[in-house]
Amino acid sequence: MVATAVLGYGTVGSGVVKVIETNHDSILEKTGADLFVKYVLDLRDFPGDPIQERVVHDFDVIINDPEVRIVVETMGGINPAYSFTKRALEAGKCVCTSNKELVANHGTELLETARAHQVSYLFEASCGGGIPIIRPLRTSLGADVIDEITGIVNGTTNYILSKMTEEDLEFDVVLREAQQKGYAERNPEADVEGHDACRKIAILSSLAYGKRVDYTDVYTEGITKITSAEVRYARTLGMSIKLLAYSRKEGDQVTAMVAPYLVPKTDPLSFVNGVFNAIFVHGNMLGDAMFYGQGAGKEATASAVVSDVIEEAQTLGRSVMSGWNPEKQELQPVAETKKQFFVRVAGDVRDRKEVESVFGAVSVVQADLPDEYGFITPVMTEAGYQECAAKLEGRILGMIRIRG
């Protein structure tokens, strides 16, 4: 039997225990991994819960027990998750996690530590919840050169945008509802401002392209400026609004960004609604592939974590993830990237000469909104758009990029 210890008995940690214990026989039969949870580390006690007899409050109990071979970190945040993870790896114990914040900040160092001590550091659940994406990137797609990753990787923002579209509601109204239903945190900033998606695309890009992508270098916008007006224009255009985390490699140059996009109905990502996520990958041999499923939730995320536990149990004594080169990947300035932009502007559509004199030939879009209209620009750089927009200062009401 392979003894594991779970750090944190919250939503994901309790889910991990549930998956291991409920599916023990199935996991053993299918994979040969005979898993059991020996300890759960938490500051709290859980009277009445069968787990209580295995709860410990001192991490040293786990570190000093040679029987524990795998540590599951589901605490979240940086500290003490970072110090506990590093100590476990240095003690020769494998670690797996769902903690995208920790992986984005310290993944390179922790992967190096794991390699140095012949153990594994795995984080399948850090980027897609229950969607298998990291293992396919490093195994199934190992023969391909990956040159693009685009994903809807945050269930909270996708739920909000879907609800705004379906019911013509404003952002603040849907956010409050999402919080009441448990789809959004009390402090939703990490989700709605795009920080969560930013960390995930940095991790995925590091794995796909082989060098460390620093999430602080990724240009990031959230969805807080999206209103029902943008939704109405999107409906008129036959498009959907999605918060996309995106990266592309061309030669030695990598571009990465997170921002709301108008997605045409011909794009499979436009049909990903609610709390579901999807990640699109393009390889030079495979072509296009899309991974779709629940991006969050107790059981879905826990299932992905336990998949890492199984792999670590099957490969004890060696480090199975090559990770990425510690060398930093410099990102191409977003200002140089090209695309079309949808722009809302104040004024009467019959008097659009100023707009055309600034942006050139544009496609006008009307959505029966008073004292405004919209237009789609020609393909232009981000820098070019900003230069033109500055000439219409005071008239522009909003802008969304268009996924080509």
Side-chain angles (χ1 to χ4, degrees):
M1 298 182 78
V2 179
T4 66
V6 177
L7 311 185
Y9 196 60
T11 300
V12 178
S14 61
V16 168
V17 174
K18 179 180 178 181
V19 171
I20 290 176
E21 298 191 341
T22 301
N23 294 345
H24 173 271
D25 294 347
S26 174
I27 291 170
L28 177 59
E29 181 180 352
K30 289 189 294 187
T31 70
D34 190 1
L35 307 174
F36 78 100
V37 178
K38 186 170 185 179
Y39 301 111
V40 169
L41 178 75
D42 205 289
L43 294 173
R44 302 163 294 173
D45 286 308
F46 301 91
D49 191 314
I51 202 69
Q52 176 58 41
E53 62 186 29
R54 288 173 278 173
V55 171
V56 297
H57 305 301
D58 184 353
F59 183 60
D60 285 344
V61 173
I62 295 168
I63 284 291
N64 295 327
D65 187 340
E67 190 178 32
V68 175
R69 305 297 302 276
I70 299 171
V71 173
V72 180
E73 185 274 298
T74 58
M75 305 174 74
I78 299 295
N79 287 308
Y82 165 71
S83 61
F84 286 178
T85 297
K86 188 169 184 180
R87 286 180 63 195
L89 295 171
E90 290 172 339
K93 302 179 190 297
C94 296
V95 179
C96 55
T97 185
S98 58
N99 188 342
K100 84 280 293 182
E101 185 177 3
L102 179 60
V103 176
N105 280 276
H106 296 289
T108 302
E109 176 192 356
L110 294 172
L111 284 165
E112 291 292 315
T113 303
R115 273 194 290 269
H117 292 85
Q118 288 298 294
V119 291
S120 298
Y121 181 56
L122 301 181
F123 38 87
E124 178 62 68
S126 67
C127 289
I131 304 172
I133 181 61
I134 289 178
R135 189 168 288 106
L137 278 178
R138 64 183 178 84
T139 57
S140 305
L141 303 181
D144 268 64
V145 175
I146 304 301
D147 54 28
E148 182 180 343
I149 300 173
T150 303
I152 298 169
V153 295
N154 184 274
T156 298
T157 51
N158 203 47
Y159 172 84
I160 291 172
L161 291 172
S162 298
K163 197 77 171 175
M164 289 176 67
T165 299
E166 292 164 3
E167 300 186 15
D168 282 325
L169 298 173
E170 294 292 352
F171 170 81
D172 291 342
V173 174
V174 181
L175 174 59
R176 285 195 296 272
E177 181 182 322
Q179 290 170 319
Q180 291 167 359
K181 291 186 174 182
Y183 295 149
E185 300 289 342
R186 181 177 299 178
N187 179 359
E189 180 180 351
D191 294 320
V192 300
E193 295 292 356
H195 305 318
D196 176 79
C198 171
R199 293 185 181 103
K200 291 173 179 177
I201 196 63
I203 294 168
L204 292 172
S205 300
S206 297
L207 288 167
Y209 310 138
K211 292 183 181 179
R212 175 176 59 89
V213 173
D214 189 331
Y215 76 94
T216 62
D217 292 338
V218 177
Y219 178 84
T220 301
E221 291 181 14
I223 65 168
T224 56
K225 295 180 181 179
I226 302 297
T227 70
S228 60
E230 277 81 15
V231 170
R232 289 182 64 175
Y233 281 111
R235 188 179 296 118
T236 300
L237 289 164
M239 297 184 180
S240 301
I241 302 176
K242 302 294 181 184
L243 182 71
L244 299 184
Y246 160 87
S247 72
R248 175 181 290 174
K249 184 175 183 182
E250 298 182 67
D252 294 329
Q253 292 188 320
V254 172
T255 304
M257 71 182 301
V258 173
Y261 273 78
L262 283 166
V263 182
K265 293 295 185 182
T266 52
D267 190 317
L269 289 174
S270 71
F271 297 101
V272 179
N273 294 315
V275 296
F276 280 81
N277 287 185
I279 301 170
F280 167 92
V281 177
H282 184 270
N284 68 333
M285 298 297 168
L286 169 71
D288 296 337
M290 193 171 81
F291 300 81
Y292 170 85
Q294 290 194 56
K298 177 177 179 175
E299 284 81 10
T301 304
S303 177
V305 173
V306 176
S307 75
D308 283 344
V309 177
I310 292 168
E311 183 172 5
E312 290 178 341
Q314 292 172 324
T315 57
L316 289 171
R318 60 189 178 93
S319 184
V320 298
M321 176 176 270
S322 59
W324 51 77
N325 190 317
E327 180 184 353
K328 182 176 178 179
Q329 173 69 60
E330 298 297 333
L331 298 181
Q332 179 187 16
V334 168
E336 299 173 10
T337 61
K338 293 183 178 181
K339 57 187 70 70
Q340 287 183 290
F341 300 81
F342 168 77
V343 186
R344 288 174 56 211
V345 63
D348 190 319
V349 68
R350 293 170 296 184
D351 184 22
R352 58 179 185 265
K353 291 183 180 179
E354 182 183 12
V355 166
E356 293 173 336
S357 69
V358 171
F359 281 95
V362 298
S363 299
V364 171
V365 184
Q366 294 180 272
D368 294 324
L369 291 166
D371 303 319
E372 69 167 84
Y373 61 96
F375 63 89
I376 296 174
T377 72
V379 174
M380 60 198 313
T381 64
E382 290 266 349
Y385 168 77
Q386 294 297 338
E387 182 179 341
C388 291
K391 296 176 182 178
L392 295 178
E393 185 176 0
R395 288 193 61 191
I396 291 182
L397 304 174
M399 176 275 285
I400 308 181
R401 298 162 181 85
I402 300 176
R403 174 165 160 80

